[in-house]
Amino acid sequence: MSAQQTSSDHQSWTDDLPLCQMCGVGTAPNCTYGPDGKGTQSHPNEDGHFRFSSEDGLYLYGVFNGFDGSRVSSFVSQCLTAELLLGQLNSTQTDTDVRRILTQAFDVVEKSYFDTIMDALAEKASLQSQLPELSPQSQKMSERLKELEQEVSGGAMAVVALILNSRLYIANVGTNRALLCKSASDGQNQVLQIGRPHTTENEDELQRLAGLGLDVSRLRQAGVIAGQSSTRRIGDYRVKYNYTDIDLLSAAKSKPIIAEPEIQASQPLEGVTGFLLLMSEGLIKALEAAHGPEQANQEMVAMVAAELAQQGSLEAVAQSVVERVKRLHHDVYASGRQRAAACSRHEDMTLLIRTLNYTLADGALTPTQGGRIYPVSVPYSNCPSSTSKTSVTLSLVMPSQGGTLTNGTNTASNLDEGTNTSPTATLQSGTNTQATQSSSSSSGDGGSLFRQRGSQASQPDETGRVPPYVDFTQFYRLWGSDHSDVLGSQGSSAGLGPQ
């Protein structure tokens, strides 16, 4: 069964596929801020996603970032499953087999998509050939051309995760991102970015395009190709079929913008504790615009870990993280400070979280049970190319009174937000911008993202109160000495402190 054949009845067959219960998705629509700080949505949401599981231990996840409409992202999110979940994959296949099937699936889906718009493209070409002739029908023809252009335009970027035989495969096309956070056997927490975005900042992509005869210096200087920063994308017929009409791409010997996924070496997941994140470009760009790109991965992982510690639902975790990024982005814009100009708008945002042997919180935590989050600002290095370790201050889940807490040092930051004096934990991160997989690690009692919280919460007394978190005895003593005259005139029977 081809993807094209299934696209007409996808509403029935994909609804019958079992959703993965170890996964949660959070989303937010695009937003443009006005002078008053209020946001408005400038176009319908163009992102898409899927999250399926099968009885034979196969799991499939994807996040799709559409542009110029949602047609392509919707088509791919529906039809890619037909190329991967209808018996093509099984536990007996080798890594080579899996990589071949993934690559073939992307190729078939894009070809199927172009088949669906061929009639519209033919009509568009016919009308364009007639348009120069002045006639009473010219206006109607122009309007029809606009409708057809809207119908056939658009494309999508994709990041797809496949778990088979306890191994993780990531297939990436474009600028979405995959992060794997896992607790290592030595007690450190590692954050791995699997793959690099396909842009003109990717040296491997520039070498590929140079091999087709394109001017690398011009590509690097332009940054954007036919309206998008990605050098790989699904759909977008203009750069696939009319690239010779685009000055930047006209010298290419063959199609320079492709939909072939880059598939990284599989990651073993046996015994791994942690989580996998799939993020759309809009989510990544919003966080990077607000706080800079240097430690965006570590900050995203810290937010997810914090929400996992207090939420009982993965759906709630993912949505809370997206909302936190949205608030960070808006607050930077409203501050009018250094990064405000870069935060005037953000695109659609999607976050998919898949836990790996990770136990969720009970979902009903109070401050006495150790579930309160104390967010803090995250310092960044001013030298993104540096390979030295930098200190990243993360949000920390406060333990119960029976637990322990080790505070990290709130290091100097190039953020222009104020210093937060909340308890913090420190993550030591190693950055290497040239590597395909960037990693970071944390250690120590205060740095573990996976540290178990204390289980013994403070119990209420007979009046329903719990012991205070802060000892106000010194405050009340000083306050009493400053107001002794007033207290003396009112009588000393009124005790200090809350009654």
Side-chain angles (χ1 to χ4, degrees), residues 23 122 149 195 205 218 234 283 322-323 334 371 421 426-427 452:
C23 175
E149 181 64 27
E205 281 297 281
R218 288 188 64 197
I234 305 170
L283 181 67
V322 171
E323 294 298 328
T421 58
T426 301
L427 175 72
Q452 297 295 319

Side-chain angles (χ1 to χ4, degrees), residues 123 127 140-148 151:
E123 182 183 354
L127 290 176
K140 292 183 178 179
M141 291 169 62
S142 297
E143 293 175 357
R144 178 57 180 160
L145 275 172
K146 290 181 181 178
E147 294 175 358
L148 290 170
E151 182 179 340

Side-chain angles (χ1 to χ4, degrees), residues 264-475:
Q264 302 300 321
S266 61
Q267 295 277 338
L269 298 181
E270 193 73 39
V272 170
T273 298
F275 48 83
L276 170 71
L277 306 181
L278 301 184
M279 302 173 286
S280 67
E281 180 186 17
L283 181 67
I284 302 163
K285 294 298 184 184
L287 182 58
E288 290 182 345
H291 281 177
E294 291 83 4
Q295 299 291 345
N297 288 349
Q298 286 84 353
E299 185 172 6
M300 181 63 67
V301 166
M303 286 190 284
V304 171
E307 293 296 338
L308 283 169
Q310 70 169 352
Q311 303 278 7
S313 159
L314 280 172
E315 210 75 11
V317 170
Q319 192 60 46
S320 295
V321 172
V322 171
E323 294 298 328
R324 289 177 72 165
V325 173
K326 187 174 181 178
R327 287 194 300 271
L328 282 172
H329 187 269
H330 174 269
D331 290 349
V332 171
Y333 171 77
S335 72
R337 295 176 182 171
Q338 182 179 359
R339 293 188 178 274
C343 295
S344 61
R345 65 184 303 274
H346 67 74
E347 272 299 333
D348 305 316
M349 298 190 290
T350 300
L351 170 65
L352 185 149
I353 303 174
R354 173 32 159 105
T355 54
L356 305 166
N357 302 312
Y358 196 102
T359 303
L360 287 178
D362 57 19
L365 295 174
T366 66
T368 60
Q369 295 171 308
R372 175 64 62 87
I373 300 301
Y374 294 85
V376 295
S377 60
V378 178
Y380 297 102
S381 168
N382 283 315
C383 303
S385 61
S386 173
T387 58
S388 62
K389 289 189 175 182
T390 57
S391 179
V392 180
T393 307
L394 306 177
S395 299
L396 177 69
V397 181
M398 287 291 291
S400 63
Q401 290 188 354
T404 59
L405 172 67
T406 302
N407 288 346
T409 302
N410 195 353
T411 58
S413 170
N414 66 343
L415 292 178
D416 48 15
E417 276 70 26
T419 301
N420 190 312
T421 58
S422 303
T424 59
T426 301
L427 175 72
Q428 296 298 327
S429 67
T431 304
N432 188 339
T433 59
Q434 302 302 318
T436 299
Q437 293 185 349
S438 61
S439 66
S440 62
S441 61
S442 65
S443 61
D445 294 337
S448 175
L449 296 178
F450 304 103
R451 176 169 47 81
Q452 297 295 319
R453 293 165 293 145
S455 59
Q456 299 298 320
S458 299
Q459 299 300 316
D461 60 20
E462 64 276 4
T463 66
R465 297 176 178 176
V466 296
Y469 302 108
V470 179
D471 185 357
F472 285 96
T473 303
Q474 179 73 356
F475 167 79

Side-chain angles (χ1 to χ4, degrees), residues 55-286:
E55 296 179 355
D56 54 356
L58 187 154
Y59 302 90
L60 185 66
Y61 313 95
V63 168
F64 308 93
N65 169 38
F67 59 89
D68 294 340
S70 61
R71 180 185 177 94
V72 180
S73 61
S74 297
F75 185 92
V76 175
S77 63
Q78 293 291 341
C79 297
L80 196 59
T81 53
E83 300 301 327
L84 295 172
L85 293 181
L86 295 182
Q88 297 90 340
L89 293 165
N90 60 70
S91 59
T92 65
Q93 290 163 331
T94 65
D95 275 15
T96 301
D97 294 331
V98 173
R99 294 165 68 92
R100 174 181 53 79
I101 292 171
L102 282 170
T103 301
Q104 178 179 309
F106 277 83
D107 181 59
V108 170
V109 168
E110 184 181 57
K111 288 179 178 177
S112 298
Y113 165 72
F114 283 133
D115 286 345
T116 67
I117 65 171
M118 280 303 175
D119 290 344
L121 287 173
E123 182 183 354
K124 180 173 178 287
S126 176
L127 290 176
Q128 285 175 327
S129 66
Q130 303 173 39
L131 193 59
E133 302 176 7
L134 296 177
S135 69
Q137 302 297 322
S138 296
Q139 182 62 32
K140 292 183 178 179
M141 291 169 62
S142 297
E143 293 175 357
R144 178 57 180 160
L145 275 172
K146 290 181 181 178
E147 294 175 358
L148 290 170
E149 181 64 27
Q150 185 175 4
E151 182 179 340
V152 301
S153 293
M157 277 69 80
V159 58
V160 171
L162 170 69
I163 297 178
L164 181 64
N165 294 333
S166 296
R167 299 190 70 86
L168 171 66
Y169 301 84
I170 297 293
N172 183 47
V173 175
T175 50
N176 293 342
R177 186 173 297 180
L179 296 181
L180 178 62
C181 182
K182 58 183 180 178
S183 180
S185 58
D186 58 2
Q188 294 186 331
N189 299 316
Q190 296 180 329
V191 180
L192 304 176
Q193 177 178 325
I194 305 178
R196 296 184 63 192
H198 298 126
T199 68
T200 56
E201 295 180 359
N202 185 326
E203 292 299 325
D204 291 338
E205 281 297 281
L206 287 178
Q207 289 182 17
R208 178 181 69 81
L209 294 171
L212 297 177
L214 296 182
D215 187 336
V216 169
S217 60
R218 288 188 64 197
L219 290 171
R220 186 183 283 112
Q221 183 178 5
V224 174
I225 302 174
Q228 300 296 321
S229 62
S230 60
T231 56
R232 300 193 189 196
R233 57 191 89 157
I234 305 170
D236 200 353
Y237 83 94
R238 290 173 297 178
V239 298
K240 299 295 175 66
Y241 292 103
N242 299 329
Y243 65 89
T244 55
D245 298 331
I246 301 173
D247 181 54
L248 201 60
L249 305 176
S250 59
K253 301 173 185 177
S254 60
K255 290 180 182 178
I257 307 300
I258 59 177
E260 179 181 345
E262 185 175 13
I263 304 172
Q264 302 300 321
S266 61
Q267 295 277 338
L269 298 181
E270 193 73 39
V272 170
T273 298
F275 48 83
L276 170 71
L277 306 181
L278 301 184
M279 302 173 286
S280 67
E281 180 186 17
L283 181 67
I284 302 163
K285 294 298 184 184

